[in-house]
Amino acid sequence: GISENSKANIFRQAQQFEQNAEECLLEGNVAGELCNLSQGIDLFAPKGDVWFSPFHVQLYSLRGKYFAALLTNGLVNDAIAECEHIVSFLAVAFSHVEHHPLLGLQLFTLGDLYSEASSNQDSNELMALFKTKAELAYIWAKEITLISHDHTDQIVEALEQKL
């Protein structure tokens, strides 16, 4: 296993990467921001017999910031991977709340990302795959938002238009 001191060191390093990323953001250093957030996330990757839960709160925070930075910089395919991690985290974290609105909104975002990715594919097979993934994300998002929002809510209406 890993000692408590080693864990604490990893958490401190992750915080430092997060702070470095914020400084890079303020300086307009996109590459530095993305690199620091990615390195912070990598600290939580399994290494030998050291394994952190993929549902660790600090990892979720890093992923959220990395996701936002990827979106801001138009890196849709990378943003999809992070959004999938975030949706997984939320599905587990809110498993006791069947229709949590945050999960519904994140699924809506994931559907939009899949939809955008489908239009950027050279292969008809990949285009169809992303369209199917978008539809499934929208269906799940709609199931949730019909419970968490009124059926006349703009979000629900937007999801109905997408389906």
Side-chain angles (χ1 to χ4, degrees), residues 50-157:
V50 176
W51 185 85
F52 286 95
S53 169
F55 306 111
H56 192 281
V57 174
Q58 192 173 9
L59 176 58
Y60 172 74
S61 174
L62 283 162
R63 285 194 186 284
K65 290 177 181 182
Y66 188 48
F67 172 64
L70 291 167
L71 278 182
T72 300
N73 292 287
L75 301 170
V76 174
N77 288 336
D78 293 330
I80 286 172
E82 288 309 311
C83 194
E84 289 171 336
H85 284 292
I86 292 167
V87 165
S88 297
F89 177 92
L90 294 173
V92 171
F94 296 129
S95 62
H96 63 290
V97 180
E98 191 172 350
H99 297 95
H100 198 284
L102 184 56
L103 177 58
L105 295 173
Q106 199 66 57
L107 284 162
F108 192 161
T109 301
L110 183 58
D112 283 348
L113 291 171
Y114 285 145
S115 183
E116 185 175 337
S118 74
S119 64
N120 295 331
Q121 299 303 315
D122 294 331
S123 155
N124 287 337
E125 187 176 315
L126 281 175
M127 188 182 304
L129 174 67
F130 279 113
K131 282 184 179 183
T132 299
K133 285 183 165 195
E135 183 179 3
L136 293 172
Y138 290 142
I139 289 169
W140 191 9
K142 184 179 173 190
E143 287 174 12
I144 293 171
T145 56
L146 281 172
I147 303 298
S148 63
H149 295 68
D150 186 72
H151 70 281
T152 60
D153 189 274
Q154 290 178 337
I155 293 170
V156 174
E157 290 176 358

